[in-house]
Amino acid sequence: MGDKMRKVTVRSPATSANLGPGFDVFGLCLDEPYDIVSVEKMEENGIKIVVEGEKSEEIPTEPDKNTAGVVAKAMMKDFNIKEGIKIHITKGIKPGSGLGSSSASSAGVAVAINELFNLNLPKLKLVEYAALGEGVAAGSPHADNVAPAIFGGFTMVTNYNPLEILHIPVEMNVLIALPDIQISTKEAREILPKKIEMEDMINNVGKACGMVYSLFRNDIELFGKYMMVDKVVEPRRAKLIPKYEEVKEKVKDKVYGITISGAGPAIISIPKKEHLLEVKELFEEVWGRVYYTKVGNGVSVLEKDD
């Protein structure tokens, strides 16, 4: 069937990186929002990219400048794929939102090419390819969003060269607010300190360890509590998001945890069921768009066409 297969379509989900003290290590896969990515064989050589949907006019379609294009190029070169392909991306995740928009395109294409050409690659190898696309968006390849996009659940990137990913399946509901502003990953990285105090490092390592422990105990309350105590990254990035600190203070007893998602401006919270509506309404009033979703299972294949 492999050679006859003409097209593969996948659903590629949003992700949230950092989760407070887990900067550049922790990632969480979300069930929504998501992109739909299809890869189709074509008669002519090369890579053609079509993008529609959320802010699609801002996304370059030249393969070398598009995250998905970079991933496709690397995979086709390494596996000596001579056929041309057409990549079609329908963006459901707003670019520059802090919800892994570029990662969804990268991860989706890696999985679709793997299926379309029967490469049978393990998930870790798919993350490696997908991370190459992140180099276009963030300036250097990183895996904290593409890892949960491919593995699902909660992931930790514990090493590069060689890449190591640890994965914990988790279940929890999350409430995401998406302010109508854009923050580039590069800008959000530039404001970070070049050196940090020893006590801040100890705080963050301790809280990150506590978060991992809490997942094995299925203690969402503890997970959320530690998620809120980042002493290094969040205090700097908070200044980029209007009313963030004010809202965080207002809801701190109504949620288990709240922090900035990735580079922002999206905000991720773990709401307490009894306060869900109240927090959701406040988020909508202050920031506009809100997603109430759960932890997702990663990129999934929707269709395979002969």
Side-chain angles (χ1 to χ4, degrees), residues 237-248:
R237 287 183 171 170
K239 295 174 176 62
L240 299 175
I241 303 166
K243 298 198 171 169
Y244 171 67
E245 281 161 322
E246 189 186 312
V247 173
K248 184 179 177 181

Side-chain angles (χ1 to χ4, degrees), residues 280-302:
K280 185 170 178 279
E281 279 169 13
L282 178 65
F283 282 3
E284 282 169 344
E285 191 185 308
V286 177
W287 291 309
R289 197 186 307 195
V290 171
Y291 299 99
Y292 179 52
T293 184
K294 57 182 192 229
V295 175
N297 298 317
V299 180
S300 58
V301 177
L302 294 178

Side-chain angles (χ1 to χ4, degrees), residues 115-135:
E115 293 286 333
L116 186 61
F117 295 101
N118 279 335
L119 304 179
N120 297 314
L121 297 174
K123 284 182 175 177
L124 188 64
K125 194 70 190 165
L126 292 175
V127 170
E128 217 168 275
Y129 278 115
L132 296 175
E134 288 290 75

Side-chain angles (χ1 to χ4, degrees), residues 192-211:
L192 298 182
K194 300 292 174 272
K195 293 179 178 174
I196 62 169
E197 296 293 329
M198 184 67 82
E199 64 190 87
D200 291 342
M201 189 194 82
I202 293 166
N203 169 80
N204 277 30
V205 172
K207 300 300 187 289
C209 292
M211 287 171 75

Side-chain angles (χ1 to χ4, degrees), residues 7-64:
K7 182 179 176 184
V8 170
T9 304
V10 301
R11 177 190 195 271
S12 197
T15 48
S16 181
N18 304 339
L19 302 170
F23 179 69
D24 272 13
V25 174
F26 288 176
L28 194 68
C29 182
L30 307 173
D31 193 47
E32 291 179 315
Y34 56 86
D35 288 355
I36 300 291
V37 179
S38 68
V39 177
E40 186 175 4
K41 293 175 184 174
M42 38 175 215
E43 298 302 322
E44 62 264 38
N45 292 340
I47 299 167
K48 185 182 178 193
I49 302 173
V50 177
V51 187
E52 336 179 288
E54 187 88 46
K55 295 263 180 190
S56 56
E57 69 286 351
E58 294 177 9
I59 300 168
T61 53
E62 304 97 280
D64 288 334

Side-chain angles (χ1 to χ4, degrees), residues 154-167:
F154 175 85
T155 54
M156 293 167 273
V157 183
T158 52
N159 198 57
Y160 286 94
N161 304 322
L163 185 64
E164 287 172 9
I165 309 284
L166 301 179
H167 170 242

